[in-house]
Amino acid sequence: MLSDSALPIIKATLPVVGENIQEIASRFYEHMFAGRPELLDGLFNRGNQADGKQQQALAGSIAAFATALVESPGKLPENLLDRVAHKHVSLGLRPHQYAIVHENLMWAIGDTLGAAVTPEVAAAWDEVYWIMANMLINKERGLYTAVDLNPDEIWRTWEVAARIEETPDVVSFVVRRTDPRPTKPSLPGQYVSLKMTMNDGVHQLRQYSLTKADDGDHRQFAVKRVAGLDGKPDGEMSNLLHSSLKVGDRVQLSAPFGDVVLNYSNRPVVLASAGIGITPMAGMLSHLAKSGADRKVHLLHADANPGSFALRKQVADSLAELPDGKHDAWFEAPGDNPAQNEHSGFMNLDDIVLAEDAEYYLCGPLPFMQHVRSALIARGIPAKDIQYEVFGPDLWLADFQ
Protein backbone atom coordinates (compact mmCIF):
# COMPACT_ATOMS: atom_id res chain seq x y z
CA MET A 1 0.00 0.00 0.00
CA LEU A 2 1.05 3.58 -0.53
CA SER A 3 2.20 5.55 2.48
CA ASP A 4 -0.07 8.21 3.98
CA SER A 5 2.16 10.91 2.54
CA ALA A 6 2.29 9.44 -0.99
CA LEU A 7 -1.39 8.53 -1.41
CA PRO A 8 -2.82 12.08 -1.76
CA ILE A 9 0.02 13.07 -4.09
CA ILE A 10 -0.60 10.11 -6.38
CA LYS A 11 -4.33 10.84 -6.35
CA ALA A 12 -3.68 14.44 -7.34
CA THR A 13 -1.04 13.74 -10.01
CA LEU A 14 -2.42 10.53 -11.53
CA PRO A 15 -4.53 12.41 -14.13
CA VAL A 16 -1.60 14.42 -15.50
CA VAL A 17 0.77 11.46 -15.40
CA GLY A 18 -1.88 9.34 -17.10
CA GLU A 19 -2.32 11.92 -19.85
CA ASN A 20 1.43 11.90 -20.50
CA ILE A 21 2.29 8.28 -19.73
CA GLN A 22 2.81 7.31 -23.37
CA GLU A 23 5.31 10.14 -23.84
CA ILE A 24 6.99 9.21 -20.55
CA ALA A 25 7.37 5.61 -21.72
CA SER A 26 8.78 6.66 -25.09
CA ARG A 27 11.34 8.98 -23.50
CA PHE A 28 12.21 6.31 -20.95
CA TYR A 29 13.17 3.72 -23.56
CA GLU A 30 15.00 6.26 -25.74
CA HIS A 31 17.05 7.51 -22.79
CA MET A 32 17.77 4.04 -21.41
CA PHE A 33 18.98 2.57 -24.70
CA ALA A 34 21.10 5.64 -25.41
CA GLY A 35 22.95 5.04 -22.17
CA ARG A 36 22.74 1.24 -22.09
CA PRO A 37 22.70 0.00 -25.72
CA GLU A 38 23.78 -3.46 -24.58
CA LEU A 39 20.25 -4.04 -23.29
CA LEU A 40 19.08 -4.40 -26.89
CA ASP A 41 21.49 -7.30 -27.35
CA GLY A 42 19.87 -10.37 -25.83
CA LEU A 43 17.17 -8.86 -23.62
CA PHE A 44 14.78 -6.33 -25.21
CA ASN A 45 12.83 -7.10 -28.37
CA ARG A 46 13.82 -4.35 -30.80
CA GLY A 47 10.89 -5.22 -33.05
CA ASN A 48 8.47 -4.22 -30.28
CA GLN A 49 10.54 -1.07 -29.74
CA ALA A 50 10.32 -0.16 -33.42
CA ASP A 51 6.53 -0.47 -33.66
CA GLY A 52 5.85 1.12 -30.27
CA LYS A 53 4.18 -1.90 -28.66
CA GLN A 54 6.60 -2.11 -25.76
CA GLN A 55 6.13 1.59 -24.96
CA GLN A 56 2.35 1.17 -25.02
CA ALA A 57 2.49 -1.89 -22.78
CA LEU A 58 4.74 -0.20 -20.22
CA ALA A 59 2.54 2.88 -20.18
CA GLY A 60 -0.61 0.84 -19.71
CA SER A 61 0.79 -1.34 -16.95
CA ILE A 62 2.17 1.57 -14.91
CA ALA A 63 -1.07 3.54 -15.21
CA ALA A 64 -3.14 0.49 -14.30
CA PHE A 65 -0.98 -0.35 -11.30
CA ALA A 66 -0.97 3.22 -9.96
CA THR A 67 -4.74 3.46 -10.40
CA ALA A 68 -5.18 0.21 -8.47
CA LEU A 69 -3.00 1.50 -5.63
CA VAL A 70 -5.26 4.52 -5.32
CA GLU A 71 -8.69 3.00 -5.97
CA SER A 72 -8.41 -0.60 -4.75
CA PRO A 73 -5.22 -1.15 -2.73
CA GLY A 74 -6.57 -4.39 -1.35
CA LYS A 75 -6.99 -5.83 -4.84
CA LEU A 76 -3.87 -5.21 -6.87
CA PRO A 77 -3.63 -6.48 -10.48
CA GLU A 78 -2.21 -9.95 -9.84
CA ASN A 79 -2.96 -11.16 -13.37
CA LEU A 80 -0.97 -8.30 -14.87
CA LEU A 81 1.94 -8.92 -12.51
CA ASP A 82 1.90 -12.67 -13.19
CA ARG A 83 2.00 -12.07 -16.96
CA VAL A 84 4.93 -9.67 -16.69
CA ALA A 85 6.81 -11.91 -14.25
CA HIS A 86 6.56 -14.97 -16.50
CA LYS A 87 7.80 -12.95 -19.47
CA HIS A 88 10.70 -11.59 -17.43
CA VAL A 89 11.92 -14.97 -16.19
CA SER A 90 11.71 -16.39 -19.72
CA LEU A 91 14.28 -13.72 -20.63
CA GLY A 92 16.52 -14.33 -17.62
CA LEU A 93 15.84 -10.93 -16.06
CA ARG A 94 17.80 -10.22 -12.86
CA PRO A 95 16.66 -8.23 -9.81
CA HIS A 96 19.43 -5.64 -10.10
CA GLN A 97 18.14 -4.63 -13.54
CA TYR A 98 15.10 -3.04 -11.91
CA ALA A 99 17.42 -0.30 -10.64
CA ILE A 100 18.37 0.53 -14.24
CA VAL A 101 14.70 0.79 -15.18
CA HIS A 102 14.01 2.94 -12.11
CA GLU A 103 16.76 5.41 -12.89
CA ASN A 104 15.63 5.94 -16.46
CA LEU A 105 11.90 5.93 -15.74
CA MET A 106 12.20 8.60 -13.05
CA TRP A 107 14.33 10.66 -15.42
CA ALA A 108 11.62 10.37 -18.09
CA ILE A 109 8.87 11.48 -15.68
CA GLY A 110 10.88 14.55 -14.73
CA ASP A 111 11.89 15.31 -18.31
CA THR A 112 8.29 15.09 -19.54
CA LEU A 113 6.49 16.94 -16.75
CA GLY A 114 9.21 19.42 -15.86
CA ALA A 115 8.67 21.70 -12.88
CA ALA A 116 5.48 19.84 -11.91
CA VAL A 117 7.69 17.06 -10.57
CA THR A 118 8.58 18.49 -7.18
CA PRO A 119 10.71 16.44 -4.76
CA GLU A 120 7.48 15.31 -3.06
CA VAL A 121 5.90 14.21 -6.35
CA ALA A 122 9.08 12.39 -7.36
CA ALA A 123 9.20 10.59 -4.02
CA ALA A 124 5.57 9.49 -4.32
CA TRP A 125 6.02 8.06 -7.83
CA ASP A 126 9.27 6.48 -6.71
CA GLU A 127 7.19 4.66 -4.10
CA VAL A 128 4.74 3.45 -6.77
CA TYR A 129 7.59 2.10 -8.86
CA TRP A 130 9.25 0.17 -6.05
CA ILE A 131 5.98 -1.34 -4.82
CA MET A 132 5.41 -2.72 -8.31
CA ALA A 133 9.05 -3.68 -8.84
CA ASN A 134 9.36 -5.50 -5.52
CA MET A 135 6.15 -7.43 -6.16
CA LEU A 136 7.56 -8.51 -9.54
CA ILE A 137 10.96 -9.40 -8.06
CA ASN A 138 9.27 -11.62 -5.46
CA LYS A 139 7.11 -13.32 -8.07
CA GLU A 140 10.09 -13.87 -10.34
CA ARG A 141 12.14 -15.30 -7.49
CA GLY A 142 9.35 -17.81 -6.91
CA LEU A 143 9.21 -18.75 -10.59
CA TYR A 144 12.96 -19.34 -10.75
CA THR A 145 12.75 -21.43 -7.57
CA ALA A 146 9.87 -23.50 -8.97
CA VAL A 147 12.07 -24.74 -11.81
CA ASP A 148 15.21 -25.00 -9.63
CA LEU A 149 17.08 -22.49 -11.81
CA ASN A 150 18.61 -19.05 -11.51
CA PRO A 151 18.70 -16.44 -14.30
CA ASP A 152 22.03 -17.79 -15.55
CA GLU A 153 20.68 -21.33 -15.89
CA ILE A 154 17.39 -20.99 -17.74
CA TRP A 155 19.01 -21.51 -21.16
CA ARG A 156 19.64 -24.92 -22.71
CA THR A 157 21.01 -25.99 -26.07
CA TRP A 158 18.64 -27.97 -28.29
CA GLU A 159 19.16 -29.53 -31.71
CA VAL A 160 16.59 -29.30 -34.49
CA ALA A 161 15.39 -32.86 -35.08
CA ALA A 162 12.62 -32.11 -37.59
CA ARG A 163 11.22 -29.24 -39.59
CA ILE A 164 7.58 -29.50 -40.65
CA GLU A 165 6.09 -27.15 -43.24
CA GLU A 166 2.59 -26.70 -41.84
CA THR A 167 1.37 -24.02 -44.30
CA PRO A 168 3.17 -21.65 -46.68
CA ASP A 169 3.68 -19.24 -43.76
CA VAL A 170 3.96 -21.56 -40.75
CA VAL A 171 6.70 -24.06 -39.95
CA SER A 172 6.99 -26.34 -36.93
CA PHE A 173 10.32 -27.21 -35.36
CA VAL A 174 10.90 -30.31 -33.26
CA VAL A 175 14.01 -30.01 -31.09
CA ARG A 176 15.81 -32.56 -28.91
CA ARG A 177 17.85 -31.93 -25.80
CA THR A 178 21.64 -31.96 -26.11
CA ASP A 179 22.47 -30.55 -22.68
CA PRO A 180 23.10 -33.35 -20.14
CA ARG A 181 21.40 -31.40 -17.36
CA PRO A 182 17.79 -32.53 -16.82
CA THR A 183 14.87 -30.38 -17.90
CA LYS A 184 11.29 -30.37 -16.69
CA PRO A 185 8.33 -31.05 -19.00
CA SER A 186 6.22 -28.07 -19.94
CA LEU A 187 2.72 -27.33 -18.69
CA PRO A 188 -0.21 -27.06 -21.14
CA GLY A 189 -0.18 -23.58 -22.67
CA GLN A 190 3.37 -22.56 -21.80
CA TYR A 191 5.95 -21.00 -24.11
CA VAL A 192 9.74 -20.87 -24.38
CA SER A 193 12.03 -18.02 -25.34
CA LEU A 194 14.30 -18.65 -28.30
CA LYS A 195 17.60 -16.76 -28.55
CA MET A 196 19.15 -16.25 -31.98
CA THR A 197 21.94 -14.17 -33.47
CA MET A 198 20.56 -11.81 -36.09
CA ASN A 199 22.32 -11.02 -39.36
CA ASP A 200 23.92 -7.93 -37.79
CA GLY A 201 25.34 -9.95 -34.88
CA VAL A 202 22.84 -8.76 -32.29
CA HIS A 203 21.11 -11.41 -30.16
CA GLN A 204 17.33 -11.28 -30.12
CA LEU A 205 14.73 -13.26 -28.18
CA ARG A 206 11.18 -14.23 -29.05
CA GLN A 207 8.60 -16.37 -27.27
CA TYR A 208 6.93 -19.34 -28.98
CA SER A 209 4.12 -21.48 -27.59
CA LEU A 210 4.88 -25.17 -27.21
CA THR A 211 2.48 -27.06 -29.44
CA LYS A 212 2.83 -30.59 -28.05
CA ALA A 213 3.05 -32.26 -24.69
CA ASP A 214 6.68 -33.11 -24.05
CA ASP A 215 8.83 -35.26 -21.81
CA GLY A 216 11.60 -32.72 -21.31
CA ASP A 217 13.80 -34.35 -23.96
CA HIS A 218 11.93 -33.10 -27.04
CA ARG A 219 9.95 -29.92 -27.60
CA GLN A 220 7.91 -28.58 -30.50
CA PHE A 221 6.91 -25.07 -31.47
CA ALA A 222 5.53 -23.37 -34.57
CA VAL A 223 6.63 -20.09 -36.14
CA LYS A 224 4.56 -17.91 -38.46
CA ARG A 225 6.48 -15.78 -40.93
CA VAL A 226 5.66 -12.15 -40.09
CA ALA A 227 5.26 -9.88 -43.11
CA GLY A 228 5.59 -6.16 -42.56
CA LEU A 229 2.45 -4.10 -43.19
CA ASP A 230 1.87 -0.37 -43.59
CA GLY A 231 5.54 0.33 -44.09
CA LYS A 232 6.70 -1.72 -41.10
CA PRO A 233 9.60 -4.15 -41.59
CA ASP A 234 9.18 -7.92 -41.80
CA GLY A 235 9.61 -9.86 -38.57
CA GLU A 236 13.35 -10.42 -38.36
CA MET A 237 13.27 -13.48 -36.11
CA SER A 238 10.44 -15.30 -37.88
CA ASN A 239 11.93 -14.72 -41.32
CA LEU A 240 15.37 -15.82 -40.16
CA LEU A 241 13.96 -19.05 -38.73
CA HIS A 242 11.97 -19.75 -41.89
CA SER A 243 14.88 -19.09 -44.21
CA SER A 244 17.82 -20.58 -42.36
CA LEU A 245 17.00 -22.90 -39.43
CA LYS A 246 17.40 -26.50 -40.58
CA VAL A 247 17.65 -30.02 -39.18
CA GLY A 248 20.89 -30.45 -37.26
CA ASP A 249 21.19 -26.78 -36.27
CA ARG A 250 21.37 -25.90 -32.60
CA VAL A 251 19.34 -23.25 -30.80
CA GLN A 252 19.15 -21.75 -27.33
CA LEU A 253 15.78 -22.19 -25.58
CA SER A 254 14.70 -21.05 -22.15
CA ALA A 255 12.85 -23.18 -19.65
CA PRO A 256 9.06 -23.12 -20.25
CA PHE A 257 7.07 -20.32 -18.64
CA GLY A 258 3.67 -18.69 -19.09
CA ASP A 259 0.80 -17.71 -16.84
CA VAL A 260 -2.02 -18.88 -19.13
CA VAL A 261 -1.94 -22.58 -18.29
CA LEU A 262 -4.77 -25.07 -18.55
CA ASN A 263 -6.33 -25.63 -15.14
CA TYR A 264 -6.43 -29.19 -13.85
CA SER A 265 -10.12 -29.76 -13.14
CA ASN A 266 -13.12 -31.70 -14.43
CA ARG A 267 -14.81 -28.62 -15.90
CA PRO A 268 -15.47 -28.42 -19.64
CA VAL A 269 -12.88 -26.55 -21.70
CA VAL A 270 -13.58 -24.16 -24.59
CA LEU A 271 -10.58 -23.04 -26.64
CA ALA A 272 -11.12 -20.11 -29.03
CA SER A 273 -8.34 -19.14 -31.43
CA ALA A 274 -7.65 -17.39 -34.71
CA GLY A 275 -4.70 -17.75 -37.06
CA ILE A 276 -1.41 -18.60 -35.36
CA GLY A 277 -3.28 -18.31 -32.03
CA ILE A 278 -3.90 -22.03 -32.52
CA THR A 279 -0.43 -22.81 -31.14
CA PRO A 280 -1.11 -22.73 -27.37
CA MET A 281 -4.45 -24.43 -28.01
CA ALA A 282 -2.65 -27.24 -29.85
CA GLY A 283 -0.40 -27.62 -26.83
CA MET A 284 -3.34 -27.78 -24.44
CA LEU A 285 -5.15 -30.33 -26.62
CA SER A 286 -2.01 -32.46 -26.84
CA HIS A 287 -1.66 -32.48 -23.05
CA LEU A 288 -5.34 -33.40 -22.63
CA ALA A 289 -5.04 -36.26 -25.11
CA LYS A 290 -1.77 -37.54 -23.64
CA SER A 291 -3.19 -37.56 -20.11
CA GLY A 292 -6.36 -39.40 -21.17
CA ALA A 293 -8.60 -36.59 -19.93
CA ASP A 294 -12.37 -37.21 -20.05
CA ARG A 295 -13.35 -33.52 -19.94
CA LYS A 296 -15.65 -31.97 -22.51
CA VAL A 297 -13.42 -30.07 -24.93
CA HIS A 298 -14.63 -27.70 -27.65
CA LEU A 299 -12.20 -25.99 -30.03
CA LEU A 300 -13.40 -22.88 -31.86
CA HIS A 301 -11.01 -21.68 -34.57
CA ALA A 302 -11.10 -18.92 -37.19
CA ASP A 303 -8.78 -18.62 -40.18
CA ALA A 304 -8.51 -17.14 -43.65
CA ASN A 305 -9.13 -20.45 -45.43
CA PRO A 306 -8.74 -24.18 -44.79
CA GLY A 307 -5.22 -24.17 -46.23
CA SER A 308 -4.02 -21.53 -43.75
CA PHE A 309 -5.25 -23.49 -40.70
CA ALA A 310 -1.88 -24.44 -39.18
CA LEU A 311 -1.62 -27.66 -37.11
CA ARG A 312 -5.07 -28.65 -38.35
CA LYS A 313 -4.34 -32.38 -38.52
CA GLN A 314 -2.60 -32.40 -35.16
CA VAL A 315 -5.48 -30.75 -33.31
CA ALA A 316 -8.00 -32.98 -35.10
CA ASP A 317 -6.03 -36.06 -34.02
CA SER A 318 -5.89 -34.82 -30.42
CA LEU A 319 -9.64 -34.15 -30.37
CA ALA A 320 -10.28 -37.62 -31.82
CA GLU A 321 -8.41 -39.17 -28.87
CA LEU A 322 -10.66 -37.41 -26.39
CA PRO A 323 -13.96 -39.12 -25.49
CA ASP A 324 -15.86 -35.81 -25.68
CA GLY A 325 -13.90 -33.54 -28.01
CA LYS A 326 -15.29 -31.50 -30.91
CA HIS A 327 -14.49 -28.38 -32.93
CA ASP A 328 -16.04 -25.69 -35.07
CA ALA A 329 -14.12 -23.66 -37.66
CA TRP A 330 -14.83 -20.38 -39.44
CA PHE A 331 -13.13 -19.45 -42.72
CA GLU A 332 -13.26 -16.12 -44.53
CA ALA A 333 -12.88 -18.08 -47.77
CA PRO A 334 -14.30 -21.57 -47.12
CA GLY A 335 -13.70 -24.53 -49.38
CA ASP A 336 -16.15 -25.81 -51.98
CA ASN A 337 -17.55 -28.58 -49.79
CA PRO A 338 -17.44 -27.38 -46.18
CA ALA A 339 -18.11 -29.90 -43.45
CA GLN A 340 -21.03 -29.46 -41.07
CA ASN A 341 -18.79 -27.92 -38.42
CA GLU A 342 -17.22 -25.43 -40.89
CA HIS A 343 -18.74 -21.98 -41.18
CA SER A 344 -18.29 -19.05 -43.52
CA GLY A 345 -17.10 -15.62 -42.40
CA PHE A 346 -15.90 -14.43 -39.01
CA MET A 347 -16.44 -16.36 -35.80
CA ASN A 348 -20.02 -16.05 -34.63
CA LEU A 349 -21.03 -17.78 -31.40
CA ASP A 350 -24.76 -16.99 -31.60
CA ASP A 351 -25.74 -20.47 -32.77
CA ILE A 352 -22.96 -22.41 -31.01
CA VAL A 353 -23.95 -24.51 -28.01
CA LEU A 354 -21.40 -24.03 -25.25
CA ALA A 355 -21.04 -26.37 -22.29
CA GLU A 356 -22.22 -25.09 -18.93
CA ASP A 357 -19.62 -24.11 -16.32
CA ALA A 358 -16.80 -24.19 -18.88
CA GLU A 359 -13.35 -22.61 -18.66
CA TYR A 360 -12.43 -20.45 -21.66
CA TYR A 361 -9.03 -19.79 -23.21
CA LEU A 362 -8.54 -17.25 -26.01
CA CYS A 363 -5.62 -16.58 -28.34
CA GLY A 364 -5.36 -14.65 -31.58
CA PRO A 365 -5.29 -11.07 -32.86
CA LEU A 366 -6.46 -8.51 -30.32
CA PRO A 367 -9.68 -7.51 -32.20
CA PHE A 368 -10.62 -11.19 -32.42
CA MET A 369 -10.16 -11.76 -28.69
CA GLN A 370 -12.04 -8.57 -27.83
CA HIS A 371 -14.96 -9.72 -30.02
CA VAL A 372 -15.07 -13.23 -28.56
CA ARG A 373 -14.67 -12.11 -24.96
CA SER A 374 -17.49 -9.57 -25.36
CA ALA A 375 -19.73 -12.23 -26.92
CA LEU A 376 -19.02 -14.63 -24.05
CA ILE A 377 -19.67 -12.04 -21.36
CA ALA A 378 -22.92 -11.10 -23.14
CA ARG A 379 -23.94 -14.75 -22.78
CA GLY A 380 -23.36 -14.60 -19.04
CA ILE A 381 -19.88 -16.16 -18.86
CA PRO A 382 -18.05 -14.74 -15.81
CA ALA A 383 -14.95 -12.75 -16.71
CA LYS A 384 -12.94 -14.81 -14.20
CA ASP A 385 -13.51 -17.91 -16.35
CA ILE A 386 -11.98 -16.33 -19.47
CA GLN A 387 -8.20 -16.34 -19.83
CA TYR A 388 -6.35 -14.99 -22.83
CA GLU A 389 -2.84 -15.26 -24.25
CA VAL A 390 -1.27 -12.30 -26.03
CA PHE A 391 1.65 -12.74 -28.40
CA GLY A 392 3.96 -9.86 -27.53
CA PRO A 393 3.28 -7.06 -25.04
CA ASP A 394 -0.22 -7.02 -23.57
CA LEU A 395 -1.85 -3.90 -25.00
CA TRP A 396 -5.32 -5.00 -23.91
CA LEU A 397 -5.20 -5.35 -20.13
CA ALA A 398 -8.69 -6.86 -20.23
CA ASP A 399 -8.55 -7.70 -16.54
CA PHE A 400 -9.10 -4.00 -15.82
CA GLN A 401 -12.28 -3.70 -17.90
Side-chain angles (χ1 to χ4, degrees):
M1 296 178 65
L2 285 167
S3 65
D4 291 341
S5 60
L7 181 58
I9 295 174
I10 298 301
K11 279 185 178 180
T13 58
L14 187 55
V16 67
V17 172
E19 290 175 4
N20 291 276
I21 194 67
Q22 183 67 53
E23 179 65 20
I24 292 170
S26 296
R27 294 193 190 189
F28 155 72
Y29 279 114
E30 182 179 355
H31 187 262
M32 182 172 68
F33 292 138
R36 304 294 293 265
E38 71 276 8
L39 295 176
L40 281 170
D41 188 355
L43 184 59
F44 281 90
N45 180 331
R46 62 186 179 185
N48 289 335
Q49 293 296 324
D51 64 16
K53 289 182 179 179
Q54 192 64 58
Q55 293 91 324
Q56 293 177 52
L58 176 67
S61 62
I62 292 174
F65 188 81
T67 300
L69 282 175
V70 169
E71 297 180 355
S72 55
K75 187 181 179 183
L76 292 179
E78 292 292 337
N79 289 345
L80 166 66
L81 297 173
D82 286 343
R83 178 154 300 180
V84 174
H86 275 271
K87 184 64 69 68
H88 282 176
V89 295
S90 80
L91 303 173
L93 195 74
R94 295 162 171 79
H96 77 269
Q97 290 171 316
Y98 279 93
I100 299 172
V101 173
H102 168 262
E103 175 187 349
N104 288 277
L105 182 59
M106 296 308 295
W107 174 90
I109 292 174
D111 186 63
T112 304
L113 301 181
V117 185
T118 64
E120 293 77 16
V121 170
W125 280 96
D126 185 87
E127 194 172 315
V128 170
Y129 174 82
W130 282 114
I131 291 174
M132 185 174 183
N134 285 326
M135 291 182 72
L136 287 170
I137 290 170
N138 289 333
K139 285 180 177 291
E140 289 156 20
R141 183 182 297 115
L143 291 172
Y144 284 126
T145 301
V147 293
D148 298 324
L149 299 172
N150 63 50
D152 296 316
E153 299 171 333
I154 68 164
W155 299 100
R156 295 284 190 271
T157 300
W158 300 74
E159 182 179 286
V160 179
R163 175 183 169 126
I164 306 166
E165 306 293 334
E166 302 283 358
T167 72
D169 290 323
V170 177
V171 61
S172 286
F173 295 99
V174 180
V175 296
R176 57 172 165 250
R177 181 166 63 94
T178 63
D179 194 305
R181 293 172 294 177
T183 59
K184 292 186 176 181
S186 63
L187 298 176
Q190 288 191 312
Y191 55 78
V192 292
S193 288
L194 184 149
K195 183 190 298 185
M196 290 282 287
T197 304
M198 299 295 102
N199 292 327
D200 61 359
V202 173
H203 297 88
Q204 285 286 278
L205 297 88
R206 300 290 187 273
Q207 287 75 42
Y208 295 106
S209 297
L210 295 168
T211 56
K212 271 195 174 182
D214 61 75
D215 56 6
D217 290 328
H218 293 81
R219 291 199 167 127
Q220 182 169 322
F221 58 94
V223 179
K224 180 178 181 179
R225 191 199 321 267
V226 177
L229 300 173
D230 301 324
K232 296 177 181 178
D234 295 340
E236 60 176 342
M237 176 72 86
S238 65
N239 280 272
L240 180 65
L241 294 175
H242 271 254
S243 64
S244 65
L245 191 61
K246 59 186 183 301
V247 173
D249 288 346
R250 295 196 170 191
V251 295
Q252 295 289 308
L253 297 180
S254 74
F257 293 103
D259 62 307
V260 182
V261 174
L262 186 68
N263 290 327
Y264 288 101
S265 73
N266 291 321
R267 296 175 63 186
V269 179
V270 178
L271 310 173
S273 59
I276 197 60
I278 189 63
T279 51
M281 309 310 184
M284 292 182 185
L285 288 170
S286 178
H287 277 269
L288 287 165
K290 184 178 179 180
S291 66
D294 59 0
R295 303 169 68 175
K296 290 184 177 180
V297 181
H298 194 172
L299 172 67
L300 311 170
H301 182 72
D303 228 307
N305 56 69
S308 65
F309 187 166
L311 305 171
R312 188 178 187 182
K313 183 179 185 306
Q314 178 189 316
V315 298
D317 290 345
S318 293
L319 286 166
E321 293 181 41
L322 297 170
D324 199 351
K326 62 180 181 179
H327 81 276
D328 282 272
W330 286 259
F331 299 116
E332 295 176 46
D336 294 332
N337 298 298
Q340 187 175 2
N341 64 339
E342 294 180 354
H343 315 278
S344 177
F346 297 103
M347 185 177 291
N348 184 343
L349 303 184
D350 291 347
D351 297 324
I352 300 299
V353 177
L354 301 173
E356 293 184 6
D357 193 34
E359 299 170 351
Y360 293 81
Y361 299 85
L362 317 181
C363 189
L366 186 53
F368 164 81
M369 292 195 293
Q370 291 171 327
H371 166 74
V372 173
R373 184 174 185 271
S374 295
L376 293 174
I377 289 177
R379 290 180 61 160
I381 307 301
K384 67 180 178 62
D385 289 334
I386 307 172
Q387 296 192 60
Y388 67 96
E389 179 67 275
V390 175
F391 291 158
D394 185 356
L395 305 182
W396 188 10
L397 300 178
D399 297 316
F400 294 97
Q401 296 179 356

